[in-house]
Coordinates of all heavy atoms in Angstrom, one line a residue:
E153 N -10.2 19.1 -8.6 CA -10.5 18.7 -7.2 C -12.0 18.5 -7.0 O -12.3 17.5 -6.3 CB -9.9 19.8 -6.3 CG -8.4 19.9 -6.2 CD -7.8 20.4 -7.5 OE1 -8.5 21.1 -8.2 OE2 -6.6 20.2 -7.7
V154 N -12.8 19.3 -7.5 CA -14.2 19.1 -7.4 C -14.7 17.9 -8.1 O -15.5 17.1 -7.6 CB -15.0 20.4 -8.0 CG1 -16.5 20.1 -8.0 CG2 -14.7 21.6 -7.2
F155 N -14.2 17.7 -9.3 CA -14.5 16.5 -10.1 C -14.1 15.2 -9.3 O -14.9 14.3 -9.2 CB -13.7 16.5 -11.4 CG -14.0 15.3 -12.3 CD1 -15.1 15.3 -13.1 CD2 -13.1 14.3 -12.4 CE1 -15.3 14.2 -13.9 CE2 -13.3 13.2 -13.2 CZ -14.4 13.1 -14.0
E156 N -12.9 15.2 -8.7 CA -12.4 14.1 -7.9 C -13.4 13.8 -6.8 O -13.7 12.6 -6.5 CB -11.0 14.3 -7.4 CG -10.0 14.3 -8.5 CD -8.6 14.7 -8.0 OE1 -8.5 15.3 -6.9 OE2 -7.6 14.5 -8.7
S157 N -13.8 14.8 -6.1 CA -14.6 14.6 -4.9 C -16.0 14.0 -5.3 O -16.5 13.2 -4.6 CB -14.8 15.9 -4.1 OG -15.5 16.9 -4.9
I158 N -16.5 14.5 -6.4 CA -17.8 14.0 -6.9 C -17.7 12.5 -7.2 O -18.5 11.7 -6.9 CB -18.3 14.8 -8.1 CG1 -18.6 16.2 -7.7 CG2 -19.6 14.1 -8.7 CD1 -19.0 17.1 -8.9
V159 N -16.6 12.2 -8.0 CA -16.4 10.8 -8.4 C -16.2 9.9 -7.2 O -16.9 8.8 -7.1 CB -15.1 10.7 -9.3 CG1 -14.7 9.2 -9.4 CG2 -15.4 11.3 -10.6
I160 N -15.4 10.3 -6.2 CA -15.2 9.5 -5.0 C -16.5 9.3 -4.2 O -16.8 8.2 -3.7 CB -14.1 10.1 -4.1 CG1 -12.7 9.9 -4.8 CG2 -14.1 9.5 -2.7 CD1 -11.6 10.6 -4.1
E161 N -17.3 10.3 -4.1 CA -18.5 10.2 -3.4 C -19.5 9.2 -4.1 O -20.1 8.4 -3.4 CB -19.2 11.6 -3.3 CG -20.5 11.6 -2.4 CD -20.2 11.2 -1.0 OE1 -19.1 11.5 -0.5 OE2 -21.1 10.6 -0.4
Q162 N -19.6 9.3 -5.4 CA -20.5 8.4 -6.1 C -20.0 7.0 -6.1 O -20.8 6.0 -6.0 CB -20.7 8.9 -7.6 CG -21.5 10.1 -7.7 CD -22.1 10.3 -9.0 OE1 -22.3 9.3 -9.8 NE2 -22.6 11.5 -9.3
L163 N -18.7 6.8 -6.1 CA -18.1 5.4 -6.0 C -18.4 4.9 -4.6 O -18.7 3.7 -4.5 CB -16.6 5.5 -6.3 CG -16.2 5.6 -7.7 CD1 -14.7 5.9 -7.8 CD2 -16.5 4.4 -8.5
K164 N -18.3 5.7 -3.6 CA -18.5 5.3 -2.2 C -20.0 4.8 -2.1 O -20.3 3.8 -1.4 CB -18.2 6.5 -1.3 CG -18.4 6.1 0.2 CD -18.1 7.3 1.1 CE -18.3 7.0 2.6 NZ -18.0 8.1 3.5
E165 N -20.9 5.6 -2.7 CA -22.3 5.2 -2.6 C -22.6 3.8 -3.3 O -23.5 3.1 -2.9 CB -23.2 6.3 -3.4 CG -23.2 7.6 -2.6 CD -24.0 8.7 -3.4 OE1 -24.4 8.4 -4.5 OE2 -24.1 9.8 -2.9
R166 N -21.7 3.4 -4.2 CA -21.9 2.1 -4.9 C -21.0 1.0 -4.2 O -20.9 -0.1 -4.8 CB -21.5 2.3 -6.3 CG -22.4 3.3 -7.1 CD -22.4 2.9 -8.6 NE -22.7 4.1 -9.4 CZ -22.7 4.0 -10.7 NH1 -22.4 2.9 -11.3 NH2 -22.9 5.1 -11.4
G167 N -20.4 1.4 -3.1 CA -19.7 0.4 -2.3 C -18.2 0.2 -2.7 O -17.5 -0.7 -2.3
Y168 N -17.6 1.2 -3.4 CA -16.2 1.2 -3.8 C -15.4 2.2 -2.9 O -15.7 3.4 -2.9 CB -16.0 1.6 -5.3 CG -16.5 0.5 -6.2 CD1 -17.8 0.3 -6.5 CD2 -15.5 -0.4 -6.7 CE1 -18.2 -0.7 -7.4 CE2 -15.9 -1.5 -7.6 CZ -17.3 -1.6 -7.9 OH -17.7 -2.6 -8.7
N169 N -14.5 1.7 -2.2 CA -13.7 2.5 -1.3 C -12.5 3.0 -2.1 O -11.6 2.2 -2.5 CB -13.2 1.7 -0.1 CG -12.4 2.5 0.9 OD1 -12.5 3.7 0.9 ND2 -11.6 1.9 1.6
T170 N -12.4 4.3 -2.4 CA -11.3 4.8 -3.3 C -10.7 6.1 -2.6 O -11.3 6.7 -1.8 CB -11.9 5.2 -4.7 OG1 -12.9 6.2 -4.5 CG2 -12.4 4.0 -5.4
K171 N -9.6 6.4 -3.1 CA -8.9 7.6 -2.7 C -8.0 8.2 -3.8 O -7.7 7.4 -4.8 CB -8.1 7.3 -1.4 CG -6.9 6.3 -1.6 CD -6.2 6.1 -0.3 CE -5.1 5.1 -0.6 NZ -4.3 4.8 0.7
I172 N -7.6 9.4 -3.7 CA -6.7 10.0 -4.7 C -5.3 10.0 -4.1 O -5.0 10.4 -2.9 CB -7.1 11.5 -5.0 CG1 -8.5 11.5 -5.6 CG2 -6.1 12.1 -5.9 CD1 -8.7 10.8 -6.9
V173 N -4.4 9.6 -4.9 CA -2.9 9.5 -4.5 C -2.1 10.3 -5.6 O -2.3 10.0 -6.8 CB -2.4 8.1 -4.4 CG1 -0.9 8.1 -4.1 CG2 -3.2 7.4 -3.3
E174 N -1.3 11.2 -5.1 CA -0.4 11.9 -6.1 C 0.9 11.1 -6.3 O 1.5 10.7 -5.3 CB -0.1 13.3 -5.5 CG -1.2 14.3 -5.6 CD -0.8 15.7 -5.4 OE1 0.3 16.1 -5.9 OE2 -1.5 16.5 -4.7
T175 N 1.2 11.0 -7.5 CA 2.5 10.3 -7.9 C 3.3 11.1 -8.8 O 2.8 11.9 -9.6 CB 2.1 8.9 -8.6 OG1 1.4 9.2 -9.7 CG2 1.3 8.0 -7.6
P176 N 4.6 10.9 -8.8 CA 5.5 11.7 -9.8 C 5.3 11.3 -11.2 O 5.1 10.1 -11.5 CB 6.9 11.4 -9.3 CG 6.8 10.1 -8.6 CD 5.4 10.1 -8.0
G177 N 5.2 12.3 -12.1 CA 5.1 11.9 -13.5 C 6.1 12.7 -14.3 O 6.9 13.5 -13.8

């Protein structure tokens, strides 16, 4: 979860709008 939040924040700073979605596996 921490890793995801760091990645999303850095992507946002570079202009990429992203989010985490849970899917069945």
Side-chain angles (χ1 to χ4, degrees):
E153 289 71 21
V154 171
F155 180 82
E156 289 173 347
S157 65
I158 294 173
V159 167
I160 289 176
E161 184 61 32
Q162 290 205 15
L163 285 168
K164 183 178 179 181
E165 289 176 359
R166 299 205 205 176
Y168 286 83
N169 183 22
T170 58
K171 62 181 179 179
I172 299 296
V173 174
E174 286 193 43
T175 59

